[in-house]
Amino acid sequence: MSAILQNLSPSISSSTSTFLGHNNLKNNIKLPNVSIPRKISVVVKCVASPSTEKTAYKTEVSRNGNLAKLQAGYLFPEIARRRAAHMAKYPDAQVISLGIGDTTEPIPEVITSAMSKRSYALSTVEGYSGYGAEQGEKQLRAAIASTYYADLGIDADDIFVSDGAKSDISRLQVLFGSNVTMAVQDPSYPAYVDSSVILGQTGEFQKDVEKYGNIEYMRCTPENGFFPDLSTVHRTDIIFFCSPNNPTGSTASREQLTKLVQFAKEKGSIIVFDSAYAMYISDDSPRSIFEIPGAKEVSIEVSSFSKYAGFTGVRLGWTAIPKELLYSDGFPVAKDFNRIVCTCFNGASNIAQAGGLACVSAEGIKAMHEVVGFYKENTDIIVDTFNSLGFKVYGGKNAPYVWVYFPGRSSWDVFSEILEKTHVVTTPGSGFGPGGEGFIRVRAFGHRENVLEACRRFKQLYK
Amino acid sequence: MSAILQNLSPSISSSTSTFLGHNNLKNNIKLPNVSIPRKISVVVKCVASPSTEKTAYKTEVSRNGNLAKLQAGYLFPEIARRRAAHMAKYPDAQVISLGIGDTTEPIPEVITSAMSKRSYALSTVEGYSGYGAEQGEKQLRAAIASTYYADLGIDADDIFVSDGAKSDISRLQVLFGSNVTMAVQDPSYPAYVDSSVILGQTGEFQKDVEKYGNIEYMRCTPENGFFPDLSTVHRTDIIFFCSPNNPTGSTASREQLTKLVQFAKEKGSIIVFDSAYAMYISDDSPRSIFEIPGAKEVSIEVSSFSKYAGFTGVRLGWTAIPKELLYSDGFPVAKDFNRIVCTCFNGASNIAQAGGLACVSAEGIKAMHEVVGFYKENTDIIVDTFNSLGFKVYGGKNAPYVWVYFPGRSSWDVFSEILEKTHVVTTPGSGFGPGGEGFIRVRAFGHRENVLEACRRFKQLYK
């Protein structure tokens, strides 16, 4: 290892966050060769003779310019970094995380016992299975179709089982390639934008407006009921749309989604509908984009067991692509996605799939509703807390996210204030796009006592 | 569903293979709009009045041109299709698969019991875990580093745990982007080339030479000991290299890999070294590219538990990227890969990771060696069989693949002959690139009685 790299090595650690620092450094300094300033620091620190220093070997491979466009860190690792720094500063603090949208409650036993059984069976000749179909096990595809899309015309063979929605979003970006344009809700789940940047669909980040060039940001605010004014939205090839929304917790109504489908149809766009929170809907808002007539000709739906069954670590989701969805040349989108899945993926873990099958059994569905119900009670507690403190609060009703408004303040400032003064980790709204500025997202995933304690602290801070 | 799509729907089924037929059809007919010929066939079949026919809605989104470049099907789904057709033709035949490189033997209990335990624990407050580090659990990263890279200078934080080598190969392609050039061994595992085509790194497929434009095919033949003549290889940014090789079963010696690393260093290339079969090495050939001095400055290594522990369905692998590997601007490749992993992936299943940790325990390593040893006995049986029949046979010694030469014959013809006359599924060598023409690959993964029975049938056919 060269001297330069030895000096660097503590920073390229298992912690994602430390990567970010370097990224920032490089972005700020804007030197063509990042090793130069570090070389100097080595000399200063080690008082080594410059003549004994070895210049690091560099390949002749150019860095992918799209990756260089990405800003700082992916939001959640950045929050993890700040949380870790806080814990280092206050080692005795009881830190409560209501930040990253991670589930906390145990997985119902009807589901884990199915996974446990499948694990054991892999040690037997009869129970062993190797490569499965890349698209997922037939029985699971059929069960997902009948559970979530009964009477909507989505069949088992329209379902592609995956290792989770985030992975599928990137596979969809690989499917579409670099020559498409895309729109996102602003604010929205950062993986849409970041994967678009990585695939080269965007221009550079424009610091003044905090947007990437060539992405259409569809502003979602309290004023428009968190549904974009489509009359001002420019046509794009792809429209990412998440409802119930992460981060705002708002849910589009049937009327709104009908407008969205009409808009896509008029413009010839494809909607990628993220329904990962659909089971949190309490009212009659659509749980699937395919409830909207004509949606099958313009939509893909991505979903996941993560927030229903606590599968954030188990990794299981799916993407539904109707046969009716065609490219401009008439070629079915599903056929190309099938090719992506066969070439770039080898199917979700068979053990996770056994869990998925248990999820959509009668008993599993009941158990998932209990998990969801528990988190929805948490949501109510959080909403009531901020309401009682006089804040304007959005979301929560149909989603595990509460979107709290701090007018005129910077999201990161509020995030830091809350962390510093209450030891509670939230998520700064601006991390989801410029439209999130002035908000923080409070997640409802948490043990009840932690949610109650966090709310007590919020009351203390903002009384 | 429109009439056209109703007619199409049986073809867009859960079977991958039927997609291929359509793909072929489109490639052969070369019509700008694939719906036209089908429309006619609907009229003919249904005797419907053309005036009542509905024209299918098409979006205005252009199909990704890179996907259109792909030829026919990904190799293994194509073999699955032919196997299924054979079984339909001979419903009573006892078909034996020595084709797709899928494992058949149960996973050792020390490993499945760890996964089973972890599954159950997810139902408890103490044992539950949600999102893990995207790069993998710290303990597993450390254990992989110490098990496979002890004394090679690869640390825990150089290891990115994945859901398998195939997924990681695609993530590496996303990392590199569309502006790199790449070389592959010819023949080689088709995912390298196909993922390169999908990312847009290649030109069109050139039917006359059966190669994609802009890919450097490094011919590996019996004449050069299955190691390319590097003096004739043009420089590329990326060099995919698999040893022990899939499909030829050959293993590069220390001397050969030293030459490869020197070549990469001279040219400023990055080697992506696929070591998924390293545990099959019996002699002193390097098990890792990082055994070669200087390799860390020019290499990435991709590996997997699939063929060691029967994890083809469980899905667990890893990629090692040394800190020393730098782009031409000095930026560490690992930092960008970390960003890919954080944005496009959410970590391997926690249950699979528990299995991985058991794999690299002392007992697990012993158990994996037993699994590998069993398959190596199969290899000997297959090698002896073809040797006794007078065939030239390669590979097998350090790999679970036997590469059998049928001079002057088409691989697909031999594949069909063997399937038709012995009901044994093999893999046609030409599916791995033009350099594989005239060969078939026989895999050693199989129950002993099936391997013995297949060999009896080979002896019957080729006596």
Side-chain angles (χ1 to χ4, degrees), chain A residues 74 164-170 189 191 315, chain B residues 134 342-346:
Chain A
Y74 184 76
K166 202 204 239 179
S167 299
D168 259 0
I169 288 162
S170 274
Y189 176 48
R315 312 303 311 139
Chain B
E134 293 90 341
C342 288
T343 309
C344 307
F345 182 55
N346 237 332

Side-chain angles (χ1 to χ4, degrees), chain A residues 209-387:
Chain A
V209 288
E210 297 194 336
K211 295 177 179 180
Y212 287 94
N214 214 28
I215 286 190
E216 180 74 13
Y217 291 77
M218 305 184 296
R219 194 78 165 207
C220 295
T221 62
E223 288 68 39
N224 61 24
F226 297 101
F227 187 81
D229 176 1
L230 295 174
S231 71
T232 65
V233 171
H234 295 102
R235 183 206 175 267
T236 58
D237 293 310
I238 312 299
I239 301 168
F240 277 92
F241 200 94
C242 179
S243 175
N245 187 264
N246 175 10
T248 68
S250 64
T251 307
S253 67
R254 196 169 303 273
E255 198 188 339
Q256 288 172 330
L257 289 183
T258 301
K259 274 188 201 164
L260 182 70
V261 167
Q262 277 169 353
F263 178 78
K265 215 155 219 177
E266 280 162 27
K267 305 289 186 183
S269 306
I270 294 175
I271 299 165
V272 177
F273 190 78
D274 185 339
S275 68
Y277 302 95
M279 276 184 82
Y280 287 80
I281 295 176
S282 303
D283 62 19
D284 65 349
S285 304
R287 273 115 177 113
S288 164
I289 190 71
F290 300 122
E291 290 183 35
I292 308 301
K296 286 204 288 293
E297 293 172 338
V298 290
S299 311
I300 289 169
E301 187 161 301
V302 177
S303 201
S304 163
F305 289 104
S306 285
K307 311 302 164 81
Y308 300 172
F311 266 32
T312 41
V314 172
R315 312 303 311 139
L316 197 72
W318 71 88
T319 288
I321 308 189
K323 296 166 197 67
E324 290 86 339
L325 183 66
L326 306 177
Y327 286 119
S328 57
D329 65 356
F331 196 85
V333 174
K335 282 169 80 172
D336 270 350
F337 191 67
N338 187 70
R339 191 65 189 260
I340 295 284
V341 162
C342 288
T343 308
C344 307
F345 182 55
N346 238 332
S349 175
N350 47 16
I351 301 169
Q353 291 192 66
L357 204 55
C359 283
V360 290
S361 69
E363 221 185 320
I365 291 170
K366 192 170 158 274
M368 289 195 295
H369 275 296
E370 281 165 14
V371 172
V372 167
F374 175 84
Y375 290 132
K376 283 174 73 70
E377 288 170 10
N378 282 349
T379 314
D380 292 343
I381 294 166
I382 296 165
V383 168
D384 288 350
T385 299
F386 282 101
N387 271 335

Side-chain angles (χ1 to χ4, degrees), chain A residues 22-96:
Chain A
H22 280 254
N23 217 344
N24 277 338
L25 182 66
K26 201 196 161 212
N27 287 338
N28 294 340
I29 298 187
K30 291 220 184 292
L31 282 165
N33 185 331
V34 80
S35 70
I36 295 169
R38 301 216 173 89
K39 225 167 156 178
I40 295 164
S41 85
V42 170
V43 174
V44 172
K45 279 173 89 175
C46 308
V47 204
S49 154
S51 63
T52 63
E53 252 189 82
K54 201 177 138 194
T55 304
Y57 173 88
K58 300 184 201 85
T59 65
E60 295 296 321
V61 179
S62 299
R63 184 182 177 203
N64 182 344
N66 297 321
L67 278 151
K69 289 177 196 163
L70 287 170
Q71 294 308 296
Y74 184 76
L75 175 63
F76 299 112
E78 173 66 19
I79 290 171
R81 189 187 69 78
R82 296 199 183 210
R83 178 202 162 116
H86 182 79
M87 287 170 84
K89 189 173 165 192
Y90 302 101
D92 298 327
Q94 193 216 338
V95 173
I96 297 173

